[in-house]
Amino acid sequence: MFLGKGVDDANSHVDVPTAPVGEPAGGDVTVVNTGGDPVTVQNLAATVDSGETSIIEDTCTDVELPPGGMCRISIRHIATEPGSYSGQLTATTSDGGALSVGISGQAVGEATPSGADTTGTGTPSPSVTTGDPTGSETPDPSATDSPEPGLTD
């Protein structure tokens, strides 16, 4: 994200690494004042179309950045469902400007159903048995008690 008059920040973007649903993943943005005057970041906000995104580190808000000065913003996203997500990190500045960078990432795995027991202390799932339900199944002829062939003295 670049501060300054006439700066094209279209190439600024936060690519959050792929993470499992429910696990945090993060990304960083470096803010650089490319203008000729000092500027202060006044407000930051991070929004996404699914899941939860928060700003976990902010060395920019209420800090006056001299020309060429830099600061950093770190975000964390926790997906609530698998798939792609996107959003914006926006900032307003003391010179009346508003800047934004895109946020995007991918979540993998399955969503935990709402109200599901994730502690491992809930009711066990029914077991699934394959094969002949009468118990009269013939043993597999390939399974033997013979030792595997090998070298001996």
Side-chain angles (χ1 to χ4, degrees):
M1 183 180 293
F2 302 100
L3 304 173
K5 301 281 187 225
V7 172
D8 176 18
D9 65 343
N11 293 325
S12 298
H13 194 85
V14 181
D15 289 314
V16 178
T18 299
V21 171
E23 296 293 323
D28 296 323
V29 174
T30 300
V31 178
V32 180
N33 181 0
T34 58
D37 297 317
V39 67
T40 302
V41 174
Q42 295 177 325
N43 296 305
L44 288 174
T47 57
V48 289
D49 56 5
S50 69
E52 299 173 17
T53 297
S54 56
I55 298 168
I56 58 170
E57 183 179 350
D58 172 9
T59 65
C60 298
T61 300
D62 298 327
V63 174
E64 184 176 86
L65 292 177
M70 294 186 293
C71 60
R72 192 175 93 192
I73 303 162
S74 296
I75 63 165
R76 178 178 66 195
H77 183 268
I78 300 175
T80 54
E81 59 187 49
S84 299
Y85 56 87
S86 62
Q88 296 287 316
L89 175 65
T90 57
T92 57
T93 60
S94 58
D95 65 357
L99 304 167
S100 68
V101 295
I103 299 170
S104 64
Q106 178 84 18
V108 295
E110 294 187 27
T112 302
S114 179
D117 180 7
T118 58
T119 63
T121 60
T123 305
S125 300
S127 62
V128 177
T129 305
T130 59
D132 183 359
T134 64
S136 62
E137 190 172 300
T138 306
D140 182 358
S142 65
T144 64
D145 292 332
S146 302
E148 287 190 31
L151 297 176
T152 58
D153 291 309

